Every structure is written in structure tokens, then in C-alpha cells.
Amino acid sequence: MAKLIPTRSSCLARMTPGERRFSERLQVKLEDDYLLWYDIPIGPKQQRPDFTILHPRRGLLVLEVKDWKEDTIREADRMQFALLTARGLVREPNPLAKARVYVQEITRVLECDPALRHGPDSPHAGKLIMPWAHGVVFTNLTRKRFEAGGLDQIIPPHLAICQDEMLESIDPEAFQQRLWAMFAHAFPIALTLPQLDRVRWHLFPEIRVEAGSGQFGLFADASSPALAPAIPDLVKVMDAQQEQLARSLGDEHRVIHGVAGSGKTMILGFRALHLARALTKPILVLCFNRTLAARLQHLLAERGLAEQVQVYNFHRWCRAMLGAYHVPLPAGGAGFIDALVPAVMAAVERGQIPRHHYGAVLIDEGHDFEPDWYRLVVQMIDPTTNSLLVLYDDAQNIYGKGTRRKVSWKSLGVQAQGRTTILKLNYRNTLEILAVARQFAAELLQERPSDDDGVPLLAPESAGRRGPLPELIRTASRRAETTAVVERVVQTHARGRAWREIAIVQRDRWQAEALQRALAAANVPCNVANDRGGKDTLFGSDAVRLVTMHSSKGLEFPLVLIAGLDRLPARDEDEASAARLLYVAMTRATEELVLLHHADTVFSQRLRQSIDAVQAQLALAA
């Protein structure tokens, strides 16, 4: 079955009856290597063809679909149709001419990319490497009536599909022949996956993942020349599943259960951008982690969305709400942070803080939220949109207790029945990094199924990207460990890796401060995430990032060095909780992972065994 983007169920309401029938035929009659887009803005001019079809061995086809009937068509020529409607005589552009304009614009965009056109030595130099075509579908005109009305004199017969040629009973091969007869030129091609991604990169700027931003690819705005990047040698885009999910998220409550690195935050970014263009009320993005909130805020501000999309970690939002509505803050002291939430809930109940304040609420890292927080947040959503998106991975729950997983969504006011999605494929980490992390946390990641209203525990599956095995380095002392970290950072930068692509992750803040001093002595620029403002400025310059394991949640970097491994598990710390924390830190690395320690612990021993086991498995597979 072909993949339709958005999903058919999510766009049925805006389809005409004929479009509904035709979309079903496309999905059922075409094989699963076809990509179909319905009513999606394309290219710099953001034009909206009814259907765009892409196939690696066939090429690109743009179709306009019309439900016009014989008795409503009064006149027609190559430029326009005159239609009798309830509003009287209405003139519409000839749908074939519209489809031609759309496909010509697409080809102009694609031909700008040298990787998508024939080279200078080809007799077709400068032309697209794939065929392209356009056509019209008349869902209420049979071929006989099409010809009797003289429309075959205006629209070449092979460029039209008629009602009786798209029946449910039609043979798939005959249906496909109708589509491919629309091509003026056909020649053998076999577009590779990178080439297909390049086509999507050009046609749909909003699915681009900008270089260096990883899952935080909040996408280039085609309307802003300053943000329109040059064509890179290697493009990164959402995969088709991620794009389909992102485009299919409608209003109401939605929950996405996804493993680390599955693109949850990227989907949140896509959704925030879409809602910012569609809604008048502000949009609220919440997470638990202050560093992640700072990262999201930084990226959304780069897109000019700082006023429309408010980004907070949960407790900072609570404090902001109390301040905005002049509600007295709780008494200071050790319990101040914990007292913020009940203070906001009480103020909402008293009417001091209004409900329904936001057009939409998006929650990242929702596994770190307490049940009462959800009960508060759902009251903040405008009931006319009722738009809530929760992104969740219980394997990364490093702040709370296991009992939290047993709470149902319905009991929290989140109406997610029938609107949950599971993402199990990890795109962030290489096969080697993910395999070692999984081997280390094998007991932690034993899958637990769930009903539609519960919270599953998911084990990630690799997308197959390869890289070096993680390294486990033991030094003679803590000072030697710090020296080894600094030397690796300097050597890696000398080989061409930018400072900002390197993160040093450690258990405690005091370790970060010691490392900062050592890096400064080696003239290495670095930014530290801390409670004195460092989290808000962590991403503003080309510098090595120093973050604690807790602060690393939701982030990713090409090279991650985890220092002070021997501090896990801490004295009297639950081993499973510490293993969960280390698993999160390990899966921040997208390309290289280095772990350092100067004393052996149960974790360093388990990691050594995990690396050896994965190395043996890969050797056997080779």
C-alpha cells in the first residue's frame, strides 16, 4: 500500500467526495514504494497541488482532481472552464493548466540541484534525472461523457483519468498504466534514497533538518531568504514516517510514545511552527529540563516565533503564571519549587489565573511530569482547539518513581484513546552506540506492552547508521582523567570537528566546573549548563558544551565524552535509577561516544562486557 501524507483519516474532512475515492484508489492500487502527498504546499511559492506522486523508478507526477459533472460544465477552453453553480456562472482555471504550472515550478526548483540533473557529459545535460508529468482526474465524468462533451479537444485524452477508470474494481496494473501514460518521456531510472530525500528537501522546506541541529531541526522558512540555506552536499530531512506523523497531527489530545532518538522533539518543532501560523492564541511548550527548554527557546526564537510560542520548563512556567496574575509566591526556602505547582492549581480554582489561556500545549519529555501537572495543564487549553501533544519515553524517566507509569491518561484528563502513536526506530545513534547502550541497560529496557490508555516501555530499534564502537578508557587518577578529556577534545577539534559538536557529560556540577578550568587552561572555549544562567546561554556560541547527565536529556551532539563514570551508582543510590541516567547520557551521542573512569565499579565492568559483546556480535555478522 502506498504511503499517503498526511494520513487519509486525518484529511478526509477537507477532501471532496471525489478526492476521497481517488485517494483510496491511490493507496490501494499502488505499491508501498510510492510516496503520495495530498494538498501540501510545495516549493518556494508554496503552491498546493491536489496530489503529488513520487516513485523511485517512475518519476514525479502532479494531479488535479475535479468533481465537476457534465451538466455543470457550460464552456471550456485551454485556459478556463465556465461552471454553473449555486452562485451562478463561475469561471475556474483549466485544471490541466494548473497542474502544468505546478509541475513546471517543481522542475525548476529540482533542476537547481546538480545532484538531481544530468551531468555535462550527458546528451540531456542540465535536465532532471527523472521523468515528470501532470494530469487531471474527473471523478464524476465517464470517458464516454468526457469525449461527448468535447473535453478531449481541450485536454489530451491520455492526460485525463475518468470516473470509470478509477472504480474500486479496476485492476491495479490498468490503473497504474493510466497514470504513467501521462508521461511524455519515459526512461529507466532508479532514484536512491539520498536522491529521494533531496527531492523532498527541495519541495518541502519545513521538513528539513538543518546541519548540526540533529533532532532539533526546526525547519528553514521558505519565506525568509536569510533562513534559506544553500544546497548542502548531504541533506537531512524527516523520514517519510516522521513526516506523515507530523503532518497528520490534528487537534484534540495526542500522545506519541517514542524511544530516544526517534525524532519526537523534531515532530514537536514541526507542530509548533504549524500551530504558530494557524492560531491566534499563544502556544505553550513545556518540558521538565531547563537545558532542553533553553535549547527549544533558542531555536524557536531563531525562527521569529518567540512571541507566538512560549517555552518554559514546568516550574518556571508556574512561577511566571503566578507573577503574571499577581498571585503571591509561596514562601522561600527549601520547599519553594515544590510549592509552586499547588499554588498555581489553587489560583486556577479560585479564578485568579484564567483557564483556556493557550491555543495549544505541547509537552516534551512528558515522562518526567507528575500526574497532577497534567491535570493542571489540560485546563489551560482553549476548548475550541483542544490541542494537546505529549511526547513520552518511559525508558528516559530519570526524575520520578516507577509508580508513575501505572497512571492512565484518562485519569489525568488526557483523552488520548485512539490517538496514540508509537515510534520505535532510533535515528539519532549509530548502530554501535545504540547496541552498547541497550546491552548495558538490557534489564531496564525489557518491553512492557500497554493498552491504548496506558504507558508502554519501549526498547529502541536501530536505523542502521554505522560508526565506531564506544570507547571505555580507564586512567590512573581523576586528574589524569581530566587531562585525557581535554586532550581528546583538542585532538578532535584539530581533525575538523567544531567545538559546538562536542559535549562533555558528567554526573555532578562540581565536575563541570573543574573541567571548565582545565579546558580554559588549554584555550578551549566552553559553555556550562548551570543554575546561574548557563543553561540559557549554552547554545549561543561555538563552544564545547558541559552538561550534567540530568541536563543532557533531550539534547544530542556528534561527540559525547562521559567523564567520572566511577561516580555511578552513587553511595546508597538505586542501581536501576543510576543505570537509567547513564543510558540517557550515552544516547546523547550521534556519532562518537567515549566513557572515562579512574576506578572500577559495577557499571564500568558491565560497560566493558557490553562493548566486548557488541564487538563480537558485529564481527560474527560481518
Side-chain angles (χ1 to χ4, degrees):
M1 178 178 287
K3 183 181 291 294
L4 180 63
I5 303 172
T7 59
R8 188 167 175 271
S9 60
S10 70
C11 52
L12 282 175
R14 55 192 176 93
M15 286 180 166
T16 68
E19 288 173 339
R20 292 175 199 149
R21 297 200 308 276
F22 188 66
S23 65
E24 184 180 25
R25 303 297 179 268
L26 288 173
Q27 279 197 280
V28 173
K29 306 297 182 182
L30 303 184
E31 289 87 5
D32 56 10
D33 52 352
Y34 284 83
L35 286 176
L36 319 170
W37 290 271
Y38 168 72
D39 192 35
I40 299 296
I42 283 183
K45 294 185 179 179
Q46 296 288 275
Q47 301 184 93
R48 303 181 77 106
D50 288 338
F51 289 93
T52 304
I53 303 173
L54 180 62
H55 188 267
R57 292 182 301 281
R58 295 285 194 173
L60 184 79
L61 176 61
V62 171
L63 296 173
E64 285 293 289
V65 177
K66 296 301 175 186
D67 289 3
W68 299 340
K69 298 180 180 178
E70 181 184 24
D71 57 355
T72 63
I73 302 175
R74 293 299 191 226
E75 300 174 12
D77 58 36
R78 295 188 183 276
M79 296 302 297
Q80 62 183 6
F81 277 56
L83 306 172
L84 184 63
T85 71
R87 296 177 287 125
L89 199 64
V90 174
R91 296 190 180 275
E92 296 278 352
N94 183 320
L96 186 64
K98 285 181 64 177
R100 184 187 303 114
V101 169
Y102 294 151
V103 79
Q104 287 174 343
E105 174 65 20
I106 290 171
T107 58
R108 278 194 292 270
V109 171
L110 299 182
E111 284 175 351
C112 292
D113 190 340
L116 294 176
R117 61 178 186 246
H118 292 283
D121 297 332
S122 168
H124 307 292
K127 300 296 183 183
L128 272 187
I129 59 175
M130 61 182 173
W132 53 270
H134 64 289
V136 182
V137 180
F138 290 107
T139 60
N140 289 322
L141 289 177
T142 64
R143 178 63 62 173
K144 182 177 180 179
R145 293 187 180 276
F146 174 82
E147 294 172 348
L151 295 181
D152 57 339
Q153 303 302 308
I154 297 166
I155 295 177
H158 70 284
L159 297 183
I161 294 177
C162 295
Q163 180 185 35
D164 49 337
E165 295 158 351
M166 51 167 282
L167 298 174
E168 186 176 2
S169 59
I170 192 170
D171 179 72
E173 185 174 347
F175 180 74
Q176 292 188 39
Q177 285 302 317
R178 281 288 177 186
L179 293 176
W180 306 123
M182 295 178 173
F183 283 76
H185 304 285
F187 47 86
I189 58 165
L191 295 177
T192 64
L193 181 57
Q195 287 173 323
L196 290 170
D197 283 346
R198 295 187 87 84
V199 172
R200 296 171 58 233
W201 189 92
H202 287 288
L203 297 189
F204 309 114
E206 66 275 16
I207 69 168
R208 295 173 185 171
V209 178
E210 294 181 348
S213 61
Q215 71 169 331
F216 293 99
L218 303 185
F219 320 97
D221 185 345
S223 66
S224 174
L227 292 175
I231 302 171
D233 294 331
L234 178 66
V235 302
K236 291 183 68 178
V237 292
M238 285 182 168
D239 75 2
Q241 182 194 21
Q242 291 168 331
E243 182 189 358
Q244 184 186 55
L245 175 58
R247 294 194 188 279
S248 303
L249 291 172
D251 292 330
E252 302 182 318
H253 297 186
R254 310 248 167 196
V255 176
I256 297 176
H257 299 286
V259 299
S262 59
K264 298 185 299 297
T265 303
M266 183 167 64
I267 291 169
L268 179 144
F270 182 101
R271 183 67 174 160
L273 289 171
H274 169 77
L275 291 170
R277 297 183 181 118
L279 301 180
T280 55
K281 281 192 172 182
I283 297 146
L284 177 64
V285 175
L286 290 174
C287 55
F288 183 88
N289 188 320
R290 286 186 60 190
T291 310
L292 177 57
R295 178 60 168 154
L296 288 170
Q297 189 173 39
H298 176 76
L299 289 162
L300 288 166
E302 285 185 337
R303 299 295 173 272
L305 298 176
E307 292 187 5
Q308 299 135 290
V309 183
Q310 301 173 14
V311 184
Y312 290 97
N313 82 303
F314 185 77
H315 290 98
R316 183 175 287 186
W317 172 74
C318 288
R319 180 165 185 164
M321 293 296 286
L322 294 172
Y325 293 98
H326 309 291
V327 179
L329 293 174
F336 174 76
I337 295 297
D338 290 336
L340 288 171
V341 181
V344 173
M345 296 179 73
V348 170
E349 288 300 315
R350 293 192 300 267
Q352 291 175 279
I353 296 177
R355 294 178 171 89
H356 314 151
H357 188 70
Y358 297 99
V361 175
L362 314 178
I363 298 176
D364 200 2
E365 308 290 350
H367 39 268
D368 292 325
F369 277 45
E370 296 287 350
D372 282 346
W373 301 2
Y374 285 105
R375 296 187 180 100
L376 171 60
V377 166
V378 294
Q379 300 179 63
M380 297 292 107
I381 304 168
D382 186 340
T384 61
T385 58
N386 199 27
S387 185
L388 172 68
L389 175 63
V390 180
L391 306 174
Y392 206 104
D393 176 13
D394 200 63
Q396 296 190 74
N397 175 7
I398 60 175
Y399 296 106
K401 300 177 181 178
T403 53
R404 183 184 305 167
R405 299 193 298 261
K406 299 177 182 178
V407 178
S408 74
W409 291 116
K410 188 175 181 180
S411 69
L412 307 181
V414 179
Q415 304 300 321
Q417 297 91 335
R419 293 188 292 274
T420 62
T421 304
I422 292 178
L423 301 175
K424 294 184 65 175
L425 203 58
N426 174 300
Y427 298 92
R428 176 193 298 145
N429 310 120
T430 62
L431 172 63
E432 289 78 4
I433 291 171
L434 183 61
V436 170
R438 281 199 61 175
Q439 183 83 15
F440 168 77
E443 295 180 5
L444 169 71
L445 293 175
Q446 289 181 357
E447 288 204 23
R448 183 188 63 245
S450 163
D451 59 28
D452 192 43
D453 190 46
V455 177
L457 179 60
L458 305 174
E461 298 175 3
S462 173
R465 199 163 52 83
R466 301 301 299 269
L469 266 173
E471 297 179 56
L472 179 62
I473 299 173
R474 183 175 181 181
T475 62
S477 65
R478 189 175 303 282
R479 177 174 294 181
E481 181 183 319
T482 299
T483 300
V485 169
V486 175
E487 288 178 351
R488 175 60 68 94
V489 168
V490 172
Q491 292 167 2
T492 302
H493 178 68
R495 292 196 297 268
R497 191 175 291 288
W499 297 123
R500 65 178 175 273
E501 296 181 343
I502 303 171
I504 304 172
V505 182
Q506 63 289 315
R507 175 62 186 266
D508 302 306
R509 291 194 184 97
W510 67 263
Q511 289 177 278
E513 292 167 357
L515 283 163
Q516 185 182 24
R517 291 191 294 271
L519 290 167
N523 296 316
V524 175
C526 60
N527 291 338
V528 182
N530 56 44
D531 288 334
R532 296 188 295 274
K535 292 183 178 181
D536 296 332
T537 60
L538 186 64
F539 306 100
S541 60
D542 185 19
V544 174
R545 323 300 192 188
L546 278 77
V547 295
T548 64
M549 290 182 177
H550 283 91
S551 291
S552 73
K553 276 176 55 63
L555 307 180
E556 61 178 41
F557 306 91
L559 168 60
V560 170
L561 298 102
I562 299 178
L565 180 64
D566 44 274
R567 293 189 59 78
L568 286 165
R571 183 179 299 177
D572 299 327
E573 181 179 19
D574 174 66
E575 187 172 307
S577 297
R580 191 187 299 269
L581 181 61
L582 182 55
Y583 170 80
V584 168
M586 292 170 68
T587 54
R588 303 308 96 197
T590 65
E591 297 175 17
E592 298 178 73
L593 174 64
V594 180
L595 304 107
L596 300 100
H597 65 113
H598 70 276
D600 262 335
T601 66
V602 62
F603 277 15
S604 64
Q605 293 168 4
R606 189 190 300 179
L607 273 169
R608 177 68 65 193
Q609 294 167 357
S610 299
I611 293 171
D612 291 345
V614 169
Q615 188 172 29
Q617 292 165 8
L618 293 176
L620 283 175

